[in-house]
Amino acid sequence: MQELLTPDFGDYELIDSGGFEKLERFGGRVLRRPEPQAVWRPTLPEEEWRRLADASFRRDARNDERGEWRLRPGMPERWTMKYAYGGLRLAMRLGLTSFKHVGIFPEQAANWTFIYDTCRRLAVGGGGAEGSAAAGTRGTDGERRPAADAGAGRGRSRIAADEVGRDGSAGAPRVLNLFAYTGGATLAARAAGADVTHVDSVRQVVTWARENMEASGLEGVRWIVEDALKFVRREVRRGNRYRGIILDPPAYGRGADGEKWVLEENIREMLECCAQLLEPQGAFLVLNLYSMGLSSTLARTAVRQAFGAPASEQWGELCFADRGGKQLPLGTYYRFTR
């Protein structure tokens, strides 16, 4: 089913968008950042943008990928925002980076609820998660989906250059999060009782994710600092299996040892490896694409070729509407259960 998803996220608001920028509230702080898809005019006047913004990002004229933040007096470089859904309680530490990112993609909350609900069902012995695909979000019909009850897991955690043990709780669904960034999806799965392996090639980002885990009152994530494609190749050779796989690949990137990642060149092999890692029944996949020009329909076609036709699937765009009612697409997604 194709659908536009807008998460319910009380600590986040898209205030306005336009002129290739967006004005956003993260917790109690308002940021002004570039947004290439905001091709329309802003609703609010420039004076209001300037009045509201606690921090504004300005690109480096010599490097389109980097820039600097201009801060209003009293604006911290780090602060925390929270997300709640059913028994899921996340505390995410935010920070102002030179790449305009702040450590969270709030539109992904629509996937966090899906992951949380699905892992809870798997943890208690259920099969798939049909009927929960849009839980905790508002779909195109505007209706709120039902929430789930509480659930959490406990265990030990550490950062490793390679995988560290396979001693997860008995009956806990094993979930693999690739290109896992600061861990929103990881923590949603862990809070639901999953045995989670979190893979990212940047050690500082993995440390950031571990801080988010601790702030959220969770434990027991397996941390891997490695190139994601290298990791899944080895997992295939080992014959390992997972009940859930989460993929959030960048358009371009570098592995921990300088390995080159180009989405269009590497995504087919990545999906083929993941198809060998995913359990044939009672399993799920979440794929996000942030590369402009790559649609959710393209993602669906590529996944179906690698995995086959699933029992239940959903694809489309993740978005937020600003106060003026303008819908801003912020990423494409595809997810299935089987």
Side-chain angles (χ1 to χ4, degrees):
M1 178 176 63
Q2 189 167 15
E3 189 169 4
L4 189 72
L5 296 183
T6 299
D8 286 321
F9 199 153
D11 234 6
Y12 174 83
E13 180 187 8
L14 179 63
I15 299 171
D16 197 11
S17 61
F20 304 102
E21 290 187 292
K22 53 187 175 182
L23 189 67
E24 308 164 279
R25 177 180 59 80
F26 293 87
R29 303 294 175 175
V30 176
L31 308 183
R32 180 176 187 170
R33 297 192 290 169
E35 177 47 64
Q37 298 198 95
V39 299
W40 42 77
R41 292 186 179 91
T43 300
L44 300 176
E46 172 64 20
E47 294 76 12
E48 188 69 0
W49 280 58
R50 291 179 181 176
R51 186 186 70 82
L52 292 173
D54 295 303
S56 301
F57 186 86
R58 291 293 177 263
R59 293 189 184 276
D60 188 328
R62 298 165 297 179
N63 186 341
D64 193 52
E65 296 297 319
R66 289 179 174 266
E68 65 177 4
W69 290 92
R70 298 177 183 176
L71 310 184
R72 177 177 292 172
M75 171 66 188
E77 293 192 2
R78 293 186 177 189
W79 71 106
T80 300
M81 66 184 296
K82 296 182 178 181
Y83 177 74
Y85 165 76
L88 179 61
R89 298 289 185 273
L90 300 184
M92 308 290 287
R93 190 264 288 175
L94 306 188
L96 304 176
T97 74
S98 62
F99 293 96
K100 82 174 181 179
H101 301 305
V102 297
I104 189 173
F105 292 89
E107 65 276 7
Q108 285 299 322
N111 281 327
W112 299 344
T113 57
F114 170 82
I115 292 164
Y116 178 77
D117 285 345
T118 305
C119 287
R120 287 196 69 242
R121 285 178 171 83
L122 294 175
V124 298
E130 295 184 37
S132 69
T137 65
R138 294 190 188 277
T140 51
D141 58 3
E143 290 299 317
R144 174 69 184 267
R145 271 61 174 187
D149 297 326
R154 293 292 183 263
R156 295 182 179 180
S157 68
R158 58 170 291 186
I159 295 179
D162 192 5
E163 189 169 3
V164 297
R166 288 284 186 186
D167 56 350
S169 303
R174 294 178 57 204
V175 173
L176 176 61
N177 190 7
L178 300 166
F179 309 98
Y181 195 43
T182 57
T186 292
L187 301 183
R190 184 62 190 140
D195 176 19
V196 188
T197 298
H198 174 113
V199 182
D200 198 283
S201 65
V202 180
R203 182 171 293 273
Q204 296 93 325
V205 169
V206 175
T207 299
W208 192 340
R210 185 170 64 174
E211 293 173 0
N212 287 338
M213 178 192 70
E214 294 168 352
S216 301
L218 297 170
E219 298 176 321
V221 172
R222 181 178 296 111
W223 308 105
I224 308 293
V225 180
E226 190 173 7
D227 175 73
L229 187 54
K230 180 187 290 186
F231 179 79
V232 297
R233 286 168 178 161
R234 189 169 60 255
E235 288 290 270
V236 169
R237 293 195 297 270
R238 289 172 170 169
N240 285 323
R241 290 278 193 162
Y242 295 88
R243 302 288 294 280
I245 297 178
I246 304 159
L247 281 160
D248 196 358
Y252 304 97
R254 291 284 181 180
D257 296 319
E259 301 91 342
K260 185 179 180 181
W261 168 270
V262 179
L263 181 63
E264 290 85 349
E265 296 176 6
N266 299 122
I267 188 62
R268 184 176 66 182
E269 182 185 1
M270 174 63 77
L271 291 174
E272 289 171 351
C273 287
C274 288
Q276 297 179 68
L277 297 178
L278 193 67
E279 293 283 2
Q281 298 294 329
F284 72 92
L285 175 85
V286 175
L287 171 64
N288 300 301
L289 293 176
Y290 279 92
S291 181
M292 291 182 66
L294 297 183
S295 69
S296 58
T297 301
L298 182 151
R300 177 177 184 254
T301 301
V303 170
R304 277 174 154 252
Q305 183 181 60
F307 290 81
S312 175
E313 63 182 345
Q314 186 181 24
W315 67 98
E317 293 180 330
L318 303 170
C319 71
F320 280 103
D322 63 25
R323 291 179 183 177
K326 302 186 296 295
Q327 291 273 8
L328 178 63
L330 295 167
T332 62
Y333 73 94
Y334 172 85
R335 58 203 196 191
F336 73 63
T337 59
R338 66 184 187 190

